[in-house]
Amino acid sequence: MPGGSPMSVSSREIRLASRPVGEPVRENFTLARTELPDPGEGQILVRNTWMSVDPYMRGRMDDAPSYIPPFELGGALEGSAVGEVIASRAASVPVGAAVSHFLGWREYAVLDATAATVVDTTIAPPTAYLGPLGTTGLTAYAALTRTAPVREKDVVFVSAAAGAVGSVAGQLARKLGAARVIGSAGGPEKTKKLLDVFGFDAAVDHRLGNLDEQLAQAAPDGIDVYLDAVGGDHLQAAIGAIRPGGRIAMVGAISGYNATAPVPGPDNLFRAATHEVTLRGMLVTSHFDLFPEWIGKAAGWLADGTLRTEQTVAEGIEQAPEAFLGVLRGANTGKMLVRLESN
């Protein structure tokens, strides 16, 4: 077998112990150890080095129909990860290759080679393929070039702007020709970072309330594009500020992810009709064809420093649940990652 085969691999993984009602708690997760089989023909064994936790995973904890299947109760969770191939029975993915794949929440993974993507760590570190060069960066790119395209001189509003998608989106809007970029974040430390690190022109602090008034002050003549990752009061405020012909990319609604009852929608939707506004949902999985184009651009921007990113890191597989809960509470700046130390 190419690369040889370990006699036995013991791997720790995080499993879904119970389905949450409302906000998830630590008891919804359990840490377990499992023995992995040797890879079969066409498969690889990966030692995961980093994994991602993301807000959309909250929806997968519920046993409800959605665009992606729910997590299996009692089974290991899933999510993006990068790692090193330590055994291979696939000529296309040799031992030693760095790969990204979707079997995170575990220290080791056996998977079909076709389900992994070899990543080039000479142009960017492995962690970049979970953030700016991964689906989070692609989400920002697809949202602002396809779903709600930014045009020259636009005023752009980005929610969750200190997060993984939003921090990239704000900088990308500028590169696409926006005249003014406004971000929303929680607390003075994050709003300051929007201005000082990520290059936003103005920042609103949603923890202060009065989002409509804050946005009106930041964009007195209105906005043209809104990237919505929050829903709720943010979507309402954006519709209230949007100019005729405006575009809204609906990529998430984190304000309602833990709701136990139907979440009220904006009460000003008719304004969107009278202003001929486009509100369009987007799933990043529908835009994977843009990956080569995006990586080609973003890798260069990362290298020359014109695309700035940050990450919040938790250490060890046992900290993955806390890292995920932290994302839902807005504890991260940039991408929330877990560094895995295999035992």
mmCIF file of all heavy atoms in Angstrom, residues 117-118 123 129 132-135 137-138 141 146 284 287-301:
data_model
loop_
_atom_site.group_PDB
_atom_site.id
_atom_site.type_symbol
_atom_site.label_atom_id
_atom_site.label_comp_id
_atom_site.label_asym_id
_atom_site.label_seq_id
_atom_site.Cartn_x
_atom_site.Cartn_y
_atom_site.Cartn_z
ATOM 1 N N THR A 117 -9.370 17.587 -0.723
ATOM 2 C CA THR A 117 -8.740 18.500 -1.679
ATOM 3 C C THR A 117 -7.317 18.780 -1.228
ATOM 4 O O THR A 117 -7.104 19.232 -0.085
ATOM 5 C CB THR A 117 -9.512 19.826 -1.762
ATOM 6 O OG1 THR A 117 -10.856 19.570 -2.173
ATOM 7 C CG2 THR A 117 -8.858 20.777 -2.747
ATOM 8 N N VAL A 118 -6.362 18.489 -2.084
ATOM 9 C CA VAL A 118 -4.971 18.814 -1.762
ATOM 10 C C VAL A 118 -4.807 20.327 -1.799
ATOM 11 O O VAL A 118 -5.234 20.983 -2.755
ATOM 12 C CB VAL A 118 -4.012 18.146 -2.759
ATOM 13 C CG1 VAL A 118 -2.566 18.565 -2.470
ATOM 14 C CG2 VAL A 118 -4.137 16.626 -2.690
ATOM 15 N N ILE A 123 1.674 28.732 -0.728
ATOM 16 C CA ILE A 123 1.116 30.054 -1.008
ATOM 17 C C ILE A 123 0.363 30.616 0.191
ATOM 18 O O ILE A 123 0.108 31.823 0.256
ATOM 19 C CB ILE A 123 0.190 30.040 -2.245
ATOM 20 C CG1 ILE A 123 -1.026 29.122 -2.019
ATOM 21 C CG2 ILE A 123 0.957 29.625 -3.492
ATOM 22 C CD1 ILE A 123 -2.076 29.220 -3.118
ATOM 23 N N TYR A 129 -6.982 27.818 4.586
ATOM 24 C CA TYR A 129 -7.949 27.050 3.806
ATOM 25 C C TYR A 129 -9.214 26.734 4.612
ATOM 26 O O TYR A 129 -10.162 26.166 4.075
ATOM 27 C CB TYR A 129 -7.300 25.769 3.277
ATOM 28 C CG TYR A 129 -6.253 26.075 2.228
ATOM 29 C CD1 TYR A 129 -4.921 26.246 2.586
ATOM 30 C CD2 TYR A 129 -6.597 26.246 0.900
ATOM 31 C CE1 TYR A 129 -3.961 26.558 1.630
ATOM 32 C CE2 TYR A 129 -5.645 26.557 -0.065
ATOM 33 C CZ TYR A 129 -4.335 26.713 0.312
ATOM 34 O OH TYR A 129 -3.390 27.030 -0.640
ATOM 35 N N PRO A 132 -10.011 32.460 4.972
ATOM 36 C CA PRO A 132 -10.123 33.274 3.755
ATOM 37 C C PRO A 132 -10.055 32.482 2.462
ATOM 38 O O PRO A 132 -10.676 32.875 1.464
ATOM 39 C CB PRO A 132 -8.943 34.244 3.880
ATOM 40 C CG PRO A 132 -7.993 33.593 4.831
ATOM 41 C CD PRO A 132 -8.857 32.856 5.799
ATOM 42 N N LEU A 133 -9.318 31.382 2.432
ATOM 43 C CA LEU A 133 -9.241 30.570 1.218
ATOM 44 C C LEU A 133 -10.206 29.384 1.252
ATOM 45 O O LEU A 133 -10.193 28.542 0.353
ATOM 46 C CB LEU A 133 -7.808 30.055 0.995
ATOM 47 C CG LEU A 133 -6.726 31.118 0.836
ATOM 48 C CD1 LEU A 133 -5.388 30.483 0.477
ATOM 49 C CD2 LEU A 133 -7.122 32.154 -0.210
ATOM 50 N N GLY A 134 -11.046 29.326 2.281
ATOM 51 C CA GLY A 134 -12.029 28.255 2.411
ATOM 52 C C GLY A 134 -13.426 28.750 2.103
ATOM 53 O O GLY A 134 -13.624 29.771 1.434
ATOM 54 N N THR A 135 -14.418 28.051 2.624
ATOM 55 C CA THR A 135 -15.802 28.399 2.305
ATOM 56 C C THR A 135 -16.222 29.733 2.902
ATOM 57 O O THR A 135 -17.130 30.386 2.378
ATOM 58 C CB THR A 135 -16.763 27.296 2.774
ATOM 59 O OG1 THR A 135 -16.550 27.040 4.166
ATOM 60 C CG2 THR A 135 -16.547 26.016 1.980
ATOM 61 N N GLY A 137 -14.302 32.530 3.101
ATOM 62 C CA GLY A 137 -13.878 33.533 2.137
ATOM 63 C C GLY A 137 -14.698 33.465 0.864
ATOM 64 O O GLY A 137 -15.085 34.499 0.297
ATOM 65 N N LEU A 138 -14.982 32.237 0.413
ATOM 66 C CA LEU A 138 -15.778 32.075 -0.798
ATOM 67 C C LEU A 138 -17.190 32.628 -0.602
ATOM 68 O O LEU A 138 -17.775 33.185 -1.540
ATOM 69 C CB LEU A 138 -15.847 30.594 -1.189
ATOM 70 C CG LEU A 138 -16.622 30.288 -2.473
ATOM 71 C CD1 LEU A 138 -15.954 30.918 -3.687
ATOM 72 C CD2 LEU A 138 -16.785 28.781 -2.665
ATOM 73 N N TYR A 141 -17.068 36.275 -1.233
ATOM 74 C CA TYR A 141 -16.842 36.570 -2.650
ATOM 75 C C TYR A 141 -18.105 36.324 -3.470
ATOM 76 O O TYR A 141 -18.507 37.165 -4.290
ATOM 77 C CB TYR A 141 -15.693 35.713 -3.159
ATOM 78 C CG TYR A 141 -15.254 36.035 -4.573
ATOM 79 C CD1 TYR A 141 -14.730 37.287 -4.885
ATOM 80 C CD2 TYR A 141 -15.346 35.088 -5.577
ATOM 81 C CE1 TYR A 141 -14.310 37.592 -6.173
ATOM 82 C CE2 TYR A 141 -14.932 35.374 -6.871
ATOM 83 C CZ TYR A 141 -14.406 36.629 -7.163
ATOM 84 O OH TYR A 141 -14.004 36.920 -8.439
ATOM 85 N N ARG A 146 -22.000 37.797 -6.961
ATOM 86 C CA ARG A 146 -23.119 37.138 -7.632
ATOM 87 C C ARG A 146 -24.466 37.454 -6.992
ATOM 88 O O ARG A 146 -25.403 37.869 -7.658
ATOM 89 C CB ARG A 146 -22.912 35.614 -7.639
ATOM 90 C CG ARG A 146 -21.944 35.112 -8.681
ATOM 91 C CD ARG A 146 -21.920 33.593 -8.667
ATOM 92 N NE ARG A 146 -21.108 33.053 -9.762
ATOM 93 C CZ ARG A 146 -20.820 31.765 -9.904
ATOM 94 N NH1 ARG A 146 -21.269 30.878 -9.029
ATOM 95 N NH2 ARG A 146 -20.077 31.352 -10.923
ATOM 96 N N VAL A 284 -23.296 28.675 -0.032
ATOM 97 C CA VAL A 284 -21.965 28.641 -0.629
ATOM 98 C C VAL A 284 -21.746 27.391 -1.471
ATOM 99 O O VAL A 284 -20.979 27.400 -2.439
ATOM 100 C CB VAL A 284 -20.888 28.767 0.474
ATOM 101 C CG1 VAL A 284 -20.832 27.505 1.329
ATOM 102 C CG2 VAL A 284 -19.533 29.088 -0.132
ATOM 103 N N HIS A 287 -21.813 27.663 -5.176
ATOM 104 C CA HIS A 287 -20.837 28.535 -5.832
ATOM 105 C C HIS A 287 -19.423 27.959 -5.791
ATOM 106 O O HIS A 287 -18.451 28.713 -5.924
ATOM 107 C CB HIS A 287 -20.861 29.918 -5.180
ATOM 108 C CG HIS A 287 -22.204 30.579 -5.228
ATOM 109 N ND1 HIS A 287 -22.672 31.258 -6.340
ATOM 110 C CD2 HIS A 287 -23.205 30.631 -4.315
ATOM 111 C CE1 HIS A 287 -23.879 31.717 -6.105
ATOM 112 N NE2 HIS A 287 -24.232 31.352 -4.884
ATOM 113 N N PHE A 288 -19.311 26.653 -5.630
ATOM 114 C CA PHE A 288 -17.978 26.046 -5.570
ATOM 115 C C PHE A 288 -17.199 26.234 -6.870
ATOM 116 O O PHE A 288 -15.969 26.129 -6.878
ATOM 117 C CB PHE A 288 -18.073 24.567 -5.217
ATOM 118 C CG PHE A 288 -18.295 24.305 -3.742
ATOM 119 C CD1 PHE A 288 -18.587 23.023 -3.295
ATOM 120 C CD2 PHE A 288 -18.208 25.321 -2.806
ATOM 121 C CE1 PHE A 288 -18.784 22.773 -1.937
ATOM 122 C CE2 PHE A 288 -18.408 25.082 -1.455
ATOM 123 C CZ PHE A 288 -18.692 23.800 -1.020
ATOM 124 N N ASP A 289 -17.902 26.499 -7.970
ATOM 125 C CA ASP A 289 -17.197 26.734 -9.229
ATOM 126 C C ASP A 289 -16.325 27.984 -9.169
ATOM 127 O O ASP A 289 -15.401 28.144 -9.983
ATOM 128 C CB ASP A 289 -18.198 26.861 -10.383
ATOM 129 C CG ASP A 289 -19.127 28.054 -10.218
ATOM 130 O OD1 ASP A 289 -19.885 28.074 -9.224
ATOM 131 O OD2 ASP A 289 -19.092 28.957 -11.073
ATOM 132 N N LEU A 290 -16.582 28.865 -8.192
ATOM 133 C CA LEU A 290 -15.793 30.082 -8.044
ATOM 134 C C LEU A 290 -14.512 29.877 -7.239
ATOM 135 O O LEU A 290 -13.693 30.801 -7.143
ATOM 136 C CB LEU A 290 -16.628 31.175 -7.361
ATOM 137 C CG LEU A 290 -17.715 31.856 -8.180
ATOM 138 C CD1 LEU A 290 -18.471 32.862 -7.318
ATOM 139 C CD2 LEU A 290 -17.121 32.566 -9.395
ATOM 140 N N PHE A 291 -14.341 28.691 -6.656
ATOM 141 C CA PHE A 291 -13.188 28.475 -5.779
ATOM 142 C C PHE A 291 -11.850 28.793 -6.454
ATOM 143 O O PHE A 291 -11.030 29.541 -5.896
ATOM 144 C CB PHE A 291 -13.171 27.041 -5.242
ATOM 145 C CG PHE A 291 -13.421 26.951 -3.755
ATOM 146 C CD1 PHE A 291 -14.272 25.996 -3.239
ATOM 147 C CD2 PHE A 291 -12.798 27.813 -2.861
ATOM 148 C CE1 PHE A 291 -14.515 25.905 -1.866
ATOM 149 C CE2 PHE A 291 -13.028 27.736 -1.497
ATOM 150 C CZ PHE A 291 -13.879 26.777 -1.000
ATOM 151 N N PRO A 292 -11.562 28.249 -7.641
ATOM 152 C CA PRO A 292 -10.257 28.559 -8.249
ATOM 153 C C PRO A 292 -10.059 30.053 -8.477
ATOM 154 O O PRO A 292 -8.969 30.591 -8.229
ATOM 155 C CB PRO A 292 -10.294 27.782 -9.568
ATOM 156 C CG PRO A 292 -11.283 26.680 -9.347
ATOM 157 C CD PRO A 292 -12.324 27.275 -8.447
ATOM 158 N N GLU A 293 -11.097 30.725 -8.942
ATOM 159 C CA GLU A 293 -11.027 32.167 -9.186
ATOM 160 C C GLU A 293 -10.755 32.916 -7.886
ATOM 161 O O GLU A 293 -9.904 33.820 -7.832
ATOM 162 C CB GLU A 293 -12.335 32.628 -9.819
ATOM 163 C CG GLU A 293 -12.454 34.111 -10.072
ATOM 164 C CD GLU A 293 -13.816 34.466 -10.658
ATOM 165 O OE1 GLU A 293 -14.315 33.720 -11.533
ATOM 166 O OE2 GLU A 293 -14.383 35.495 -10.245
ATOM 167 N N TRP A 294 -11.486 32.547 -6.829
ATOM 168 C CA TRP A 294 -11.331 33.229 -5.546
ATOM 169 C C TRP A 294 -9.949 32.980 -4.959
ATOM 170 O O TRP A 294 -9.268 33.923 -4.525
ATOM 171 C CB TRP A 294 -12.420 32.797 -4.574
ATOM 172 C CG TRP A 294 -12.163 33.231 -3.159
ATOM 173 C CD1 TRP A 294 -11.995 32.434 -2.073
ATOM 174 C CD2 TRP A 294 -12.036 34.576 -2.679
ATOM 175 N NE1 TRP A 294 -11.778 33.177 -0.953
ATOM 176 C CE2 TRP A 294 -11.791 34.503 -1.296
ATOM 177 C CE3 TRP A 294 -12.086 35.831 -3.288
ATOM 178 C CZ2 TRP A 294 -11.616 35.628 -0.501
ATOM 179 C CZ3 TRP A 294 -11.905 36.964 -2.496
ATOM 180 C CH2 TRP A 294 -11.672 36.855 -1.120
ATOM 181 N N ILE A 295 -9.494 31.732 -4.921
ATOM 182 C CA ILE A 295 -8.185 31.430 -4.340
ATOM 183 C C ILE A 295 -7.086 32.138 -5.131
ATOM 184 O O ILE A 295 -6.117 32.654 -4.553
ATOM 185 C CB ILE A 295 -7.955 29.903 -4.289
ATOM 186 C CG1 ILE A 295 -8.900 29.276 -3.244
ATOM 187 C CG2 ILE A 295 -6.504 29.578 -3.949
ATOM 188 C CD1 ILE A 295 -8.835 27.771 -3.175
ATOM 189 N N GLY A 296 -7.231 32.190 -6.455
ATOM 190 C CA GLY A 296 -6.239 32.880 -7.261
ATOM 191 C C GLY A 296 -6.085 34.340 -6.877
ATOM 192 O O GLY A 296 -4.984 34.898 -6.896
ATOM 193 N N LYS A 297 -7.193 34.985 -6.527
ATOM 194 C CA LYS A 297 -7.148 36.389 -6.121
ATOM 195 C C LYS A 297 -6.738 36.532 -4.655
ATOM 196 O O LYS A 297 -5.854 37.322 -4.318
ATOM 197 C CB LYS A 297 -8.512 37.037 -6.334
ATOM 198 C CG LYS A 297 -8.925 37.159 -7.795
ATOM 199 C CD LYS A 297 -10.307 37.804 -7.925
ATOM 200 C CE LYS A 297 -10.693 37.963 -9.384
ATOM 201 N NZ LYS A 297 -12.015 38.619 -9.560
ATOM 202 N N ALA A 298 -7.404 35.785 -3.801
ATOM 203 C CA ALA A 298 -7.229 35.984 -2.360
ATOM 204 C C ALA A 298 -5.835 35.587 -1.882
ATOM 205 O O ALA A 298 -5.285 36.227 -0.973
ATOM 206 C CB ALA A 298 -8.289 35.199 -1.593
ATOM 207 N N ALA A 299 -5.242 34.548 -2.469
ATOM 208 C CA ALA A 299 -3.907 34.135 -2.056
ATOM 209 C C ALA A 299 -2.902 35.254 -2.298
ATOM 210 O O ALA A 299 -2.017 35.507 -1.464
ATOM 211 C CB ALA A 299 -3.491 32.866 -2.798
ATOM 212 N N GLY A 300 -3.047 35.948 -3.414
ATOM 213 C CA GLY A 300 -2.159 37.075 -3.689
ATOM 214 C C GLY A 300 -2.376 38.217 -2.722
ATOM 215 O O GLY A 300 -1.418 38.860 -2.267
ATOM 216 N N TRP A 301 -3.641 38.488 -2.395
ATOM 217 C CA TRP A 301 -3.940 39.566 -1.451
ATOM 218 C C TRP A 301 -3.420 39.243 -0.062
ATOM 219 O O TRP A 301 -2.937 40.131 0.654
ATOM 220 C CB TRP A 301 -5.446 39.815 -1.409
ATOM 221 C CG TRP A 301 -5.998 40.374 -2.677
ATOM 222 C CD1 TRP A 301 -5.338 41.101 -3.625
ATOM 223 C CD2 TRP A 301 -7.349 40.253 -3.141
ATOM 224 N NE1 TRP A 301 -6.186 41.437 -4.643
ATOM 225 C CE2 TRP A 301 -7.428 40.941 -4.388
ATOM 226 C CE3 TRP A 301 -8.502 39.655 -2.645
ATOM 227 C CZ2 TRP A 301 -8.604 41.028 -5.117
ATOM 228 C CZ3 TRP A 301 -9.675 39.736 -3.375
ATOM 229 C CH2 TRP A 301 -9.727 40.417 -4.600
#
